Amino acid sequence: MSVFINHLLQYKKYRIIILLIVFICGFFFGFYQYTYTQDNVTHYLQTLFYLNHDEYINQYSIYLYENILLIIICTYLSSSYLGAFGILIMLFLKGLQVSFSLIYVMNSITLTMFIIFLLMIEICIEIIFIFILSLHCIHISLYVTYVTFFSKQQLNLKNILNYLLNYLIITFIILTISLCFRIYLIPLF
């Protein structure tokens, strides 16, 4: 078991592959599950883009609360032994939300090439945001597990907090870019 965790810690590509698989599974599961889901769950998961039949509803405060709550939950889970599994569940749910939002947008508004381009940019920003957050929170969770159970070295809390703070700053910058995109650019079109 320690060899497996050690490989996951040393080689970032394995963590990225696991994250991609979980996100893609959530994305395709959302396409499969969309027709079988209750209306209130469907309505909640469609709120990634906040598009209505007639207009763009700018509810950025809900978007901000959801993503800050996601950051807090992932940060909390990164400090536990089994936090990697919880973070993978959050990533799966984010893939589900992206697929529900795409289906809703395709069904509710007339799509032009420019709107598709703007939505793809927003999807890419969302995916980058969740991948950076998940990747580094899983790394911290695996490191805590490895040092606690399999290694004789001591847990250096200062290094872990510096590592986490660096990537939390990056995720907040990406969240700010996404918010600016959502507030200022999309309502123009």
Side-chain angles (χ1 to χ4, degrees):
M1 184 67 162
S2 67
V3 174
F4 176 71
I5 293 176
N6 196 13
H7 278 307
L8 281 177
L9 283 172
Q10 287 180 355
Y11 304 110
K12 194 180 283 189
K13 66 181 177 182
Y14 295 131
R15 286 180 282 156
I16 291 173
I17 290 170
I18 291 171
L19 291 177
L20 277 173
I21 289 171
V22 169
F23 184 81
I24 289 171
C25 287
F27 187 75
F28 286 130
F29 184 73
F31 280 111
Y32 169 73
Q33 195 64 28
Y34 186 78
T35 55
Y36 304 114
T37 307
Q38 297 175 354
D39 288 337
N40 55 357
V41 175
T42 305
H43 178 68
Y44 176 72
L45 290 174
Q46 291 167 349
T47 58
L48 181 63
F49 297 120
Y50 304 103
L51 290 171
N52 200 349
H53 290 287
D54 301 325
E55 64 191 35
Y56 178 79
I57 303 169
N58 198 355
Q59 297 177 342
Y60 58 87
S61 61
I62 295 173
Y63 172 76
L64 186 63
Y65 292 143
E66 285 177 358
N67 284 325
I68 287 177
L69 183 64
L70 179 71
I71 290 171
I72 291 170
I73 289 172
C74 286
T75 305
Y76 176 72
L77 288 174
S78 70
S79 65
S80 69
Y81 306 126
L82 298 175
F85 298 114
I87 294 168
L88 290 175
I89 290 171
M90 298 299 288
L91 184 68
F92 182 84
L93 291 176
K94 197 65 168 180
L96 191 75
Q97 183 181 12
V98 168
S99 65
F100 270 49
S101 300
L102 278 176
I103 292 170
Y104 178 71
V105 167
M106 287 185 224
N107 291 338
S108 64
I109 65 170
T110 57
L111 297 175
T112 63
M113 197 59 145
F114 192 69
I115 291 176
I116 291 172
F117 177 70
L118 288 176
L119 293 177
M120 288 301 145
I121 290 174
E122 191 167 350
I123 289 171
C124 288
I125 292 172
E126 288 290 321
I127 291 171
I128 289 169
F129 167 73
I130 191 68
F131 267 81
I132 288 175
L133 182 66
S134 299
L135 182 68
H136 297 290
C137 287
I138 284 177
H139 176 76
I140 292 171
S141 178
L142 290 174
Y143 180 73
V144 166
T145 304
Y146 179 73
V147 169
T148 304
F149 293 118
F150 302 112
S151 176
K152 295 189 188 250
Q153 68 183 9
Q154 291 184 356
L155 189 65
N156 192 349
L157 199 57
K158 182 180 176 185
N159 288 343
I160 291 175
L161 288 178
N162 282 336
Y163 181 81
L164 183 63
L165 267 170
N166 289 339
Y167 287 103
L168 282 178
I169 289 170
I170 291 171
T171 55
F172 276 117
I173 289 171
I174 293 173
L175 182 62
T176 305
I177 290 170
S178 177
L179 258 164
C180 291
F181 186 79
R182 181 181 298 271
I183 293 171
Y184 298 117
L185 192 61
I186 288 183
L188 294 176
F189 304 99

